[in-house]
């Protein structure tokens, strides 16, 4: 360090917190990407469905029509009917809400767990870090669908338990990402400056480090919500999702699969709904990552 | 190298220990009464208590854990509560079926994804790259049962080329007789991973092609094809090959769904059936087998990575 000059904290740029990505710039790059805009369009569509799909649905989710079992798509039933004569189109629209809300809640839960674990491990370091990250590695080695199945069998299938299982499954990866980001920051000069100012550990973690890691963590969370939808579909497909009669898309696929020979379109509609929802999350997240790289 | 292997072996052992404890604890808190599962609802509380005693289920947890691990290691896996058959031979047969399916999927994944990734990486930013990138992003976003379903509708229902039901008589797989039943499940299992590995390969290829030694080789006047084949590929393929071996966990999880979709008798569908029917010893045995596979393949990946990339620190 140059000792000839007095240490002037206000003018040394390296001692000031790094600039966060500027949102107008990120937004502009984002809006230029065609795939990102397609993703945003799809995502907006499903978010609106999650809000008002239940009001727009032409039939009730459990409204059965006598003698209308496995009907082909028609003017009355745009996507046909299922094994109980229920309108598939209405069930897809009504099911959008839980398919968006439950994965979002599970990722919120996973963020609470994962970010606090990652912050602690990364900032405190030492043997605590070593132990925590070993356990996280082992948890990440567990085949994720298998982990969900075991958790659901252990605590039972319900909407709340699906959220818990998906959240526990996603937390280790978030913890690992957070820890990596913290390790990257903790030896920077603006942290050392804060430490020299005599700030407390909690202040440094919450006011200096946390704001600098939120952007990558939020983008990652988008991908995670996509994956949570993916996994929730798989759980529903295996019969361990949100219990009937709620319109769980994965369960609708597995129920309609038995009628594939009679009516191949019946499982396709809820299946395509899941796929387009997951694709929309991934396209938006990918567009955000690219846009933030440019800035 | 010896030290590296020893250290890796130790972490392997610790991971297996932690995972086996996890499986044991999770299965111990499951609201399943084994006696009720075995004897059915018509049984009296007395006979159930007697069976619980006989199965040793009222002893303290650590004792039960040691007993369970000991039996597992000695190949003494007990009987299924539901099927009333010995677990070990059943698991062996199902595992073989799953391994055949997984190997088939990998032989599709490796060449296709590496080729796509390398091409996309070399043509960064060009239309070829953009379509491969978007295509692989879409492929990793579509759940496996959706892909499987679409393949069934196209190839089985519409074109009538391949069977959509892969159940085997007596669970026995005869490749000459049953190969048609493996095609759709294998492509389904490959689909998601092709996108993922292609993306990793693309990024790795781009970073290698931008490095100083490649620029030197090109400036030296070596033909472009020679530079790519002899200089770039060697380094660019290290990361994706290591990634493929770590994706065995994903493959195992995917097989649970895919095997159920196609009614294929593998370890994944065995586990799912056991979980749905509360068959505790079967859940434990198939979960242990699956994680052994996963942990072992990850250790293999690390060793492979160290061999491929001599620069890695072995200490």
């Amino acid at each position: 360090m140059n000792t000839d000059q007095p240490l002037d904290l206000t003018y040394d740029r390296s001692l000031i917190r790094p600039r966060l990505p500027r949102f107008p710039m990120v937004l502009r790059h984002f809006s230029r990407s065609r795939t990102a805009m397609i993703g945003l369009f799809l995502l907006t569509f499903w978010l609106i469905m999650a809000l008002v799909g239940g009001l727009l649905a032409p039939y009730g989710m459990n409204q059965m029509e006598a003698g209308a079992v496995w009907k082909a798509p028609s003017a009355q039933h745009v996507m046909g009917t299922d094994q109980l004569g229920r309108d598939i189109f209405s069930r897809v629209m009504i099911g959008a809400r839980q398919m968006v809300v439950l994965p979002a809640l599970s990722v919120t839960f996973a963020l609470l767990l994962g970010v606090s674990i990652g912050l602690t491990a990364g900032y405190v370091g030492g043997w605590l870090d070593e132990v925590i990250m070993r356990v996280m590695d082992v948890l990440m080695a567990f085949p994720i669908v298998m982990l969900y199945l075991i958790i659901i069998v252990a605590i039972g299938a319900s909407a709340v338990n699906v959220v818990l299982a998906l959240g526990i499954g996603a937390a280790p990866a978030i913890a690992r990402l957070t820890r990596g980001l913290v390790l990257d920051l903790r030896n920077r000069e603006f942290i050392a400056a804060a430490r020299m100012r005599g700030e407390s550990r909690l202040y440094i973690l919450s006011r200096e480090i946390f704001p600098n890691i939120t952007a990558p963590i939020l983008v990652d969370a988008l991908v995670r919500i996509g994956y949570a939808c993916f996994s929730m579909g798989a759980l529903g497909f295996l019969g361990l999702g949100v219990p009937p009669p709620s319109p769980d898309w994965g369960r609708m696929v597995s129920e309609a699969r038995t009628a594939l020979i009679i009516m191949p379109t019946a499982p396709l509609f809820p299946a395509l709904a899941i796929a387009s929802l997951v694709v929309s999350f991934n396209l938006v997240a990918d567009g955000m990552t690219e846009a933030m790289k440019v800035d | 190298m010896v030290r590296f292997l020893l250290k890796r072996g130790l972490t392997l052992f610790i991971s297996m220990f932690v995972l086996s404890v996890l499986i044991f604890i999770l299965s111990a808190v499951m609201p399943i009464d084994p006696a009720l599962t075995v004897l059915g609802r018509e049984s009296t509380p007395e006979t159930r208590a007697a069976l619980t005693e006989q199965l040793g289920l009222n002893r303290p947890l650590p004792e039960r854990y040691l007993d369970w691990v000991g039996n597992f290691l000695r190949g003494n896996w007990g009987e299924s509560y539901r099927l009333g058959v010995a677990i070990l031979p059943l698991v062996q047969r199902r595992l073989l079926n799953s391994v055949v399916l997984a190997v088939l999927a990998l032989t599709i994944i490796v060449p296709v994804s590496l080729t796509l990734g390398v091409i996309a990486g070399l043509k960064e930013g060009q239309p070829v790259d953009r379509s491969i990138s978007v295509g692989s992003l879409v492929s990793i976003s579509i759940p496996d049962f959706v892909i499987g379903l679409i393949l069934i509708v196209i190839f089985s229902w519409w074109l009538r080329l391949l069977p959509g039901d892969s159940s085997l008589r007596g669970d026995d797989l005869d490749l000459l007789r049953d190969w048609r039943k493996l095609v759709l499940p294998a492509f389904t299992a490959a689909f998601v991973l092709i996108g993922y590995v292609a993306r990793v390969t693309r990024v790795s290829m781009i970073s290698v092609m931008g490095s100083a030694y490649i620029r030197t080789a090109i400036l030296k006047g070596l033909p472009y094809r020679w530079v790519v084949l002899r200089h770039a590929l060697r380094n660019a393929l290290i990361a994706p090959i290591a990634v493929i071996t770590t994706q065995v966990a994903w493959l195992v999880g995917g097989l649970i769904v895919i095997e159920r979709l196609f009614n294929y008798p593998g370890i994944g569908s065995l586990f799912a059936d056991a979980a749905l029917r509360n068959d505790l010893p079967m859940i434990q045995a198939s979960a242990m087998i699956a994680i052994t596979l996963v942990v072992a393949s990850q250790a293999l990946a690390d060793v492979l990575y160290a061999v491929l990339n001599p620069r890695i620190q072995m200490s």
Side-chain angles (χ1 to χ4, degrees):
Chain A
M1 185 180 276
N2 189 352
T3 45
D4 297 338
Q5 286 173 343
L7 191 65
D8 186 349
L9 290 180
T10 45
Y11 286 103
D12 188 344
R13 279 191 60 86
S14 70
L15 295 184
I16 302 168
R17 278 180 218 154
R19 184 173 57 101
L20 297 175
R22 283 171 303 159
F23 277 93
M25 277 285 275
V26 172
L27 224 73
R28 208 165 66 211
H29 284 289
F30 184 85
S31 62
R32 273 197 203 134
S33 160
R34 204 183 311 149
T35 50
M37 291 315 282
I38 293 173
L40 191 64
F41 174 77
L42 271 175
L43 185 59
T44 316
F45 171 76
W46 282 123
L47 289 180
I48 293 173
M49 278 300 128
L51 271 176
V52 297
L55 301 173
L56 298 178
Y59 298 87
M61 68 177 190
N62 291 315
Q63 191 181 332
M64 301 172 209
E65 195 175 314
V69 172
W70 298 131
K71 278 277 183 307
S74 63
Q76 280 101 40
H77 302 285
V78 187
M79 295 180 180
T81 59
D82 69 1
Q83 76 278 13
L84 296 174
R86 297 175 295 193
D87 183 49
I88 294 178
F89 177 62
S90 301
R91 285 176 66 78
V92 168
M93 284 173 83
I94 298 167
R97 179 171 298 171
Q98 66 185 46
M99 204 61 193
V100 171
V101 171
L102 297 184
L105 281 178
S106 77
V107 171
T108 314
F109 173 56
L111 281 173
L112 284 176
L113 274 178
V115 171
S116 38
I117 293 172
L119 277 176
T120 317
Y123 193 70
V124 177
W127 65 267
L128 188 68
D129 176 36
E130 190 71 24
V131 171
I132 290 177
M133 290 331 284
R134 280 277 160 268
V135 173
M136 293 296 129
D137 282 351
V138 170
L139 282 179
M140 278 170 77
F142 214 101
I144 201 85
V145 178
M146 193 173 248
L147 184 65
Y148 294 148
L149 280 184
I150 293 182
I151 294 176
I152 293 286
V153 172
I155 61 181
S158 73
V160 176
N161 291 351
V162 166
V163 169
L164 290 179
L166 295 178
I168 294 170
I174 294 177
R176 175 180 259 204
L177 172 74
T178 310
R179 172 183 174 267
L181 293 167
V182 173
L183 283 186
D184 194 37
L185 286 175
R186 62 178 279 188
N187 293 326
R188 296 273 198 85
E189 277 145 333
F190 74 98
I191 300 293
R195 223 178 276 146
M196 280 195 292
R197 288 202 304 269
E199 307 288 6
S200 71
R201 195 176 258 187
L202 193 67
Y203 177 91
I204 295 177
L205 274 178
S206 60
R207 301 299 297 277
E208 302 279 349
I209 291 183
F210 188 69
N212 280 298
I213 60 174
T214 41
I217 286 181
L218 286 181
V219 173
D220 177 70
L222 271 183
V223 183
R224 303 257 158 237
I225 298 178
Y227 273 123
C229 296
F230 192 123
S231 309
M232 192 172 139
L235 276 180
F237 179 78
L238 292 172
L240 289 169
V242 184
S246 86
D248 184 312
W249 291 352
R251 182 186 298 274
M252 287 166 71
V253 174
S254 93
E255 283 169 354
R257 179 186 61 128
T258 51
L260 202 62
I261 306 153
I262 324 168
M263 189 42 58
T265 53
L268 272 183
F269 288 116
L272 290 177
I274 299 176
S276 68
L277 181 60
V278 184
V279 169
S280 73
F281 275 110
N282 277 343
L283 286 179
V284 170
D286 194 62
M288 297 267 277
T289 316
E290 289 300 318
M292 292 204 315
K293 240 186 254 168
V294 173
D295 187 44
Chain B
M1 193 67 196
V2 175
R3 263 195 67 184
F4 172 75
L5 286 178
L6 277 179
K7 203 176 165 196
R8 198 61 195 80
L10 186 70
T11 48
L12 180 104
F13 179 77
I14 295 173
S15 310
M16 280 308 296
F17 173 72
V18 174
L19 283 171
S20 66
V21 170
L22 186 73
I23 287 179
F24 183 77
I25 291 175
L26 277 172
S27 53
V29 300
M30 281 182 190
I32 299 173
D33 181 1
L36 193 65
T37 314
V38 177
L39 297 171
R41 297 205 176 275
E42 282 78 47
S43 58
T44 60
E46 289 78 33
T47 51
R48 290 207 292 266
L51 186 72
T52 306
E53 180 75 39
Q54 192 196 332
L55 291 169
L57 293 172
N58 42 12
R59 290 175 298 155
L61 275 181
E63 199 183 315
R64 276 169 59 194
Y65 171 76
L66 287 179
D67 206 41
W68 173 67
V69 168
N71 277 330
F72 184 82
L73 291 177
R74 272 177 274 139
N76 194 358
W77 293 8
E79 277 190 5
S80 155
Y81 286 167
R82 287 286 179 183
L83 307 172
V85 295
I87 291 175
L88 184 62
L90 185 61
V91 166
Q92 279 172 338
R93 203 161 51 216
R94 294 293 198 98
L95 183 65
L96 183 73
N97 292 349
S98 284
V99 168
V100 171
L101 184 56
V103 168
L104 218 62
L106 282 172
T107 48
I108 302 169
I109 294 168
V110 174
V112 175
S113 60
L114 293 185
T115 314
L116 286 176
V118 167
I119 292 174
L122 288 175
K123 308 264 177 200
E124 192 195 353
Q126 293 176 27
V128 189
D129 171 36
R130 248 176 279 144
S131 37
I132 292 178
S133 294
V134 173
S136 58
L137 190 68
V138 171
S139 96
I140 60 173
S141 311
I142 304 183
D144 13 34
F145 62 91
V146 176
I147 293 299
L149 204 65
I150 293 173
L151 290 182
I152 292 177
V153 169
I154 295 177
F155 290 98
S156 180
W157 182 79
W158 189 36
L159 299 175
R160 295 181 192 283
L161 279 176
L162 294 158
D165 180 283
S166 308
S167 55
L168 304 170
R169 204 178 305 134
D171 294 356
D172 281 320
L173 181 67
D174 179 347
L175 274 179
L176 283 176
R177 188 190 60 194
D178 299 320
W179 66 270
R180 290 160 56 89
K181 292 182 174 176
L182 286 167
V183 178
L184 291 184
F187 272 96
T188 309
F191 195 78
V192 174
L193 279 184
I194 284 178
Y196 183 69
V197 178
R199 284 173 77 79
V200 174
T201 314
R202 173 181 175 271
V203 172
S204 172
M205 196 67 199
I206 289 173
S207 91
V208 168
M209 288 307 285
S211 63
Y213 81 99
I214 293 293
R215 217 174 325 132
T216 313
I218 291 174
L219 291 176
K220 209 163 71 175
L222 290 179
Y224 184 70
R225 178 174 296 192
W226 180 265
V227 174
V228 171
L229 290 178
R230 288 299 301 267
H231 294 77
L233 276 187
R234 282 182 64 131
N235 276 316
L237 293 187
I238 291 176
I241 286 173
V243 162
I244 290 170
T245 27
T246 57
Q247 288 307 308
V248 173
W250 175 265
L251 206 54
V252 169
L255 286 184
I256 295 177
V257 173
I258 293 165
E259 288 175 356
R260 266 190 81 83
L261 174 65
F262 288 95
N263 294 322
Y264 183 74
I267 192 85
S269 56
L270 186 71
F271 174 79
D273 287 342
L276 289 168
R277 292 184 194 149
N278 298 344
D279 195 343
L280 206 52
M282 197 71 114
I283 296 177
Q284 292 171 332
S286 40
M288 280 301 283
I289 281 299
I291 60 160
T292 310
L293 265 180
V294 170
V295 173
S297 66
Q298 275 175 348
L300 187 72
D302 282 358
V303 174
L304 198 68
Y305 194 75
V307 172
L308 284 174
N309 188 357
R311 284 163 301 185
I312 194 175
Q313 287 186 339
M314 299 222 184
S315 52

